[in-house]
Amino acid sequence: MVAYNPLPRPEAFMAIAALFAKRSKDPVTQVGAVLVDKDEYVAATGYNGFPAKLSDDHFSWLKTGEHRHDKKYPYVKHAELNVLANVTRTYDGGTLYVTVMPCHDCAREIVQLQQKIRCVKFISVYENGKDSNVTANDMFNSAGIPITTLEARVKNVSVDFDLLDVESREIAPRVSLTGKRLDYLPWEETFMGAAMIMAQCSKNPVYQQGAVLVGPKNKTLGFGYNGIPKRISAKLKAENKTFDWSNAKLREEYEIKGANNCMLNSSRVPNSTLYTTHFPDIAATHKLLETDVKKVIFGHAPDKNSSDIIAAKRMMDHAEIKYQQFRAATNKIDIDLATRDVTFPGLRFKSE
């Protein structure tokens, strides 16, 4: 029994892709991507931008210029290629969620991969890229990779930082001489926002916790939300049974909290940071002590008088794991998952 409607995972992955698109400095086009493996664990995230070793303030972000090398086109790397560069786990047989249909350049690299992407899902197309889209579609069909629009059951996803009841913070004024988009989303809001989206996937009608583990250079290492162990969930599904989420005793006995699930689902990388909607409980703190996490950014303020919270803080202090509460630079982010008009001559999608 589930007392409310949790966010389906495909919608959550596309919403996270759309959230990462807001990181792009491109003033005209912002694209985000999420790559998940066959078990629906996130393998990587990305957005369109300059390659990692190039400064966002050195080359032009503009479409205009006397020569091609004066424009943005030689320098901007598409979200699909960035997500492949950011992979932290195997993804063979997985799915690529991207906010805009891949162009022919990205399609060519995707079909060449040693680890095969099972399918590609998107919600819009480039307005001026019809020829490229047709070519990309032909490549995917020829390679046997289905490419489809995400027909979202949930059309709108909100990230409301006010629900965390945290203090606000101000961002230093941004200046650009290269045409860079200045209202891009800060990293902190991107990661905590992704944790809040994952929390919406939880089937727990009383308590939803989400978490994201982030490594050096802001690479995402893993995602998680509170739920029962995946093998138990799969067994119940195979037997056409459901978990009784209304039973508080069962929830307490079976449930793994989001922060702990996140770390169990993540690659182990030194000096990583855990973003979590709630302060880690004892089990998650024990897991923290076994990993290379050096910092915890949490949302909801914990109960200062709780013995478990006091014990968790003591353990983190002893292990020199820093922890601090998230402070929001914006109040709310609304994400539209409705499929845009993607029909035009020559574009024929192959269903899964």
Side-chain angles (χ1 to χ4, degrees):
M1 176 181 179
V2 180
Y4 81 115
N5 294 319
L7 183 65
R9 277 192 290 258
E11 281 83 343
F13 298 141
M14 190 63 82
I16 292 173
L19 188 70
F20 271 80
K22 297 180 183 295
R23 279 285 310 160
S24 176
K25 318 303 187 303
D26 192 314
V28 178
T29 305
Q30 299 90 45
V31 182
V34 171
L35 179 60
V36 303
D37 67 15
K38 60 184 178 181
D39 295 317
E40 294 194 313
Y41 293 120
V42 176
T45 52
Y47 57 89
N48 60 314
F50 292 165
K53 293 184 179 180
L54 298 187
S55 168
D56 287 333
D57 297 304
H58 188 77
F59 300 96
S60 175
W61 284 95
L62 301 177
K63 297 171 66 174
T64 57
E66 184 177 356
H67 305 287
R68 179 173 165 79
H69 59 260
D70 297 322
K71 305 174 186 179
K72 68 176 182 178
Y73 300 109
Y75 310 108
V76 174
K77 188 175 179 182
H78 285 193
E80 300 92 321
L81 302 187
N82 270 326
V83 80
L84 295 174
N86 293 336
V87 165
T88 58
R89 67 192 303 150
T90 58
Y91 57 86
D92 196 27
T95 300
L96 176 65
Y97 293 85
V98 58
T99 55
V100 180
M101 181 183 174
C103 69
H104 68 277
D105 285 328
C106 293
R108 185 172 55 238
E109 297 223 10
I110 291 169
V111 300
Q112 180 67 9
L113 293 169
Q114 275 191 315
Q115 296 188 62
K116 184 179 179 181
I117 290 178
R118 183 177 64 86
C119 68
V120 177
K121 294 183 181 293
F122 66 97
I123 54 176
S124 64
V125 296
Y126 292 107
E127 290 183 9
N128 299 317
K130 293 183 179 180
D131 290 341
S132 180
N133 288 145
V134 171
T135 302
N137 185 64
D138 289 343
M139 285 188 197
F140 285 126
N141 285 341
S142 180
I145 300 175
I147 177 167
T148 65
T149 54
L150 175 71
E151 299 304 325
R153 290 159 288 180
V154 178
K155 305 296 185 185
N156 296 284
V157 177
S158 292
V159 175
D160 191 350
F161 293 119
D162 286 341
L163 295 177
L164 297 178
D165 194 23
V166 295
E167 294 181 4
S168 61
R169 65 184 175 91
E170 293 186 1
I171 299 175
R174 294 167 171 170
V175 179
S176 174
L177 300 177
T178 59
K180 178 176 75 174
R181 175 171 167 256
L182 298 180
D183 60 344
Y184 58 87
L185 193 65
W187 278 119
E188 294 88 342
E189 278 68 21
T190 305
F191 296 136
M192 187 58 77
M196 293 181 72
I197 291 172
M198 291 305 295
Q200 295 178 49
C201 294
S202 174
K203 295 181 175 64
N204 188 326
V206 179
Y207 173 90
Q208 299 90 41
Q209 183 191 71
V212 177
L213 188 63
V214 182
K217 300 182 179 180
N218 295 308
K219 283 189 177 183
T220 50
L221 305 175
F223 293 69
Y225 57 88
N226 56 308
I228 62 175
K230 190 153 190 170
R231 289 183 181 179
I232 295 176
S233 178
K235 187 174 187 296
L236 288 173
K237 185 176 181 180
E239 296 173 351
N240 201 26
K241 298 178 181 178
T242 58
F243 183 78
D244 184 6
W245 283 100
S246 66
N247 188 319
K249 186 173 185 295
L250 278 180
R251 291 201 305 266
E252 182 180 352
E253 292 173 343
Y254 277 82
E255 188 175 51
I256 301 175
K257 293 297 189 293
N260 201 3
N261 241 338
C262 175
M263 289 181 285
L264 289 168
N265 297 339
S266 299
S267 304
R268 183 166 178 169
V269 176
N271 300 315
S272 49
T273 299
L274 178 69
Y275 287 80
T276 173
T277 56
H278 297 71
F279 198 86
D281 64 3
I282 293 296
T285 303
H286 287 170
K287 191 65 182 176
L288 277 171
L289 302 180
E290 299 170 0
T291 66
D292 297 306
V293 175
K294 294 298 182 185
K295 190 174 184 179
V296 175
I297 308 293
F298 62 91
H300 295 282
D303 180 1
K304 296 180 181 179
N305 299 317
S306 165
S307 290
D308 280 2
I309 295 299
I310 293 171
K313 288 184 174 180
R314 284 181 176 178
M315 287 188 278
M316 286 189 228
D317 289 339
H318 185 76
E320 297 183 342
I321 298 174
K322 297 179 181 179
Y323 49 87
Q324 68 183 57
Q325 190 170 23
F326 169 73
R327 296 172 63 198
T330 187
N331 299 104
K332 188 177 182 181
I333 302 170
D334 291 313
I335 298 169
D336 180 12
L337 296 182
T339 301
R340 284 49 154 189
D341 183 16
V342 296
T343 58
F344 49 82
L347 194 60
R348 300 174 302 278
F349 300 121
K350 181 179 178 181
S351 61
E352 293 181 73

